[in-house]
Amino acid sequence: MKYKLIALDLDGTLKNSDNQITAKTKEALIEVQKQGVKIVLASGRPTAGLRHEAKELLLDKFGGYLLSFNGARVGTVPNQETVYEQTLSIEEAKKVYTRAKQYNLACMTYKNDSIYTEDIDDEYVCIEAKINDIRKYQVSSFIDILENPIHKVLLTGTPEYIASIEEEFKKPFGNELSIYRSAPFFLEVMAKNIDKAASLDRLAKSLGIKQEEVIAFGDGYNDLSMIEYAGLGVAMENAVEEVKQRAKVVTKSNNEDGIAYVLSQIYEGVEY
């Protein structure tokens, strides 16, 4: 099979435990792009949080894509033309915020390439800002900043607490919204039917690429849909158990160049 599109989760997949893309993985991904393969960075991160990795992998040179907010937006590199976009309405975002306050969850969203939150010192808000290398702003009222539809609301709590309340938290929304964990301490809220697989499918079809010609690499719960969607769904060795069980292949960990390991077996000129 000649794979034409590679979707990459970032944290725990493309990047190692030191938050770096290793030289071996970088070389492998640049080599496949030289062969005409398209790369899409597929992450729960905001678009601004993908800019450094896109530059490092030369997506601007080869014409790659950014699938951000777990698929609520897909855009081109480098000019960021929108391929697909779906947002939460202001009313939906308000309902999520109200529910979050009932469960004492910190709540944040993104605006002007920054984080806006009432909980600026929350441990997990700080983690999100650091991961994405973006600023965070304290607001007195989350609702007051909802002037336009948004791509995502991110809720945070301890992993144990998030796991214990996730299903109960979702109940009032039924199938109206997409709500699921990414990291154990993050609960992501997007518009209905938003996930990485749905948006990856839209991108592939816009490029004339078949589902079986797609490779997807991931490690977390929010990667599960695209790993099951792809012709070759690959879980990292460090992935959560459910992802490993449902992937077609389990590769080496993100600290062992698991992406390069798989690509070296598929594409000539890629070394491991």
Side-chain angles (χ1 to χ4, degrees):
M1 171 60 64
K2 184 178 180 182
Y3 296 102
K4 299 177 180 178
L5 180 64
I6 300 174
L8 304 165
D9 172 58
L10 267 69
D11 303 298
T13 301
L14 175 63
K15 309 192 80 172
N16 64 14
S17 298
D18 295 322
N19 200 34
Q20 302 291 322
I21 304 175
T22 66
K24 186 177 289 186
T25 292
K26 188 187 306 183
E27 289 166 7
L29 290 168
I30 289 173
E31 175 57 34
V32 297
Q33 288 180 96
K34 289 178 180 177
Q35 298 180 29
V37 177
K38 293 299 182 182
I39 300 292
V40 52
L41 301 183
S43 176
R45 292 186 183 190
T47 305
L50 303 175
R51 62 189 185 277
H52 295 311
E53 292 78 11
K55 184 175 182 180
E56 197 170 353
L57 295 177
L58 306 183
L59 265 60
D60 53 342
K61 177 180 178 180
F62 293 105
Y65 299 87
L66 303 181
L67 187 158
S68 51
F69 303 107
N70 282 313
R73 187 180 189 281
V74 181
T76 62
V77 180
N79 52 17
Q80 276 304 295
E81 292 180 359
T82 300
V83 175
Y84 171 74
E85 185 173 43
Q86 188 172 348
T87 55
L88 284 167
S89 70
I90 293 173
E91 194 57 39
E92 287 172 330
K94 286 180 178 179
K95 290 178 181 178
V96 172
Y97 168 78
T98 300
R99 185 79 170 159
K101 297 303 286 185
Q102 292 172 357
Y103 283 82
N104 295 313
L105 298 171
C107 184
M108 70 185 107
T109 193
Y110 310 85
K111 182 179 177 182
N112 301 325
D113 292 341
S114 300
I115 287 170
Y116 287 76
T117 181
E118 295 177 0
D119 307 284
I120 196 168
D121 295 321
D122 177 82
E123 175 185 358
Y124 303 111
V125 171
C126 293
I127 288 173
E128 175 70 356
K130 184 176 180 180
I131 287 172
N132 292 288
D133 188 26
I134 56 178
R135 293 174 296 180
K136 50 191 173 81
Y137 288 102
Q138 176 82 40
V139 297
S140 57
S141 170
F142 185 86
I143 287 178
D144 286 349
I145 67 167
L146 299 174
E147 300 169 341
N148 298 293
I150 58 177
H151 291 102
K152 183 175 80 171
V153 175
L154 183 61
L155 310 175
T156 78
T158 65
E160 298 79 12
Y161 183 59
I162 291 286
S164 70
I165 60 94
E166 180 183 2
E167 293 307 315
E168 184 181 345
F169 180 89
K170 293 178 182 179
K171 283 182 181 177
F173 302 107
N175 294 319
E176 296 174 5
L177 301 175
S178 296
I179 305 175
Y180 45 80
R181 276 181 293 165
S182 50
F185 41 79
F186 286 153
L187 195 60
E188 314 255 352
V189 185
M190 284 80 52
K192 183 179 179 179
N193 297 327
I194 288 294
D195 63 28
K196 290 185 179 183
S199 297
L200 185 58
D201 182 56
R202 290 183 176 93
L203 175 60
K205 286 176 177 173
S206 75
L207 297 172
I209 293 174
K210 299 175 183 176
Q211 182 175 348
E212 57 266 29
E213 297 172 328
V214 177
I215 307 177
F217 290 87
D219 73 303
Y221 297 108
N222 63 329
D223 300 317
L224 189 55
S225 67
M226 74 171 182
I227 283 177
E228 292 187 312
Y229 162 82
L232 182 62
V234 184
M236 311 304 287
E237 177 56 40
N238 52 285
V240 296
E241 193 59 35
E242 186 176 0
V243 172
K244 289 198 284 188
Q245 289 176 357
R246 293 162 73 174
K248 292 184 176 69
V249 172
V250 177
T251 186
K252 296 178 184 291
S253 76
N254 62 324
N255 291 324
E256 300 172 294
D257 296 293
I259 291 172
Y261 179 73
V262 169
L263 298 183
S264 69
Q265 299 177 56
I266 296 172
Y267 300 96
E268 292 184 7
V270 176
E271 297 181 0
Y272 178 78

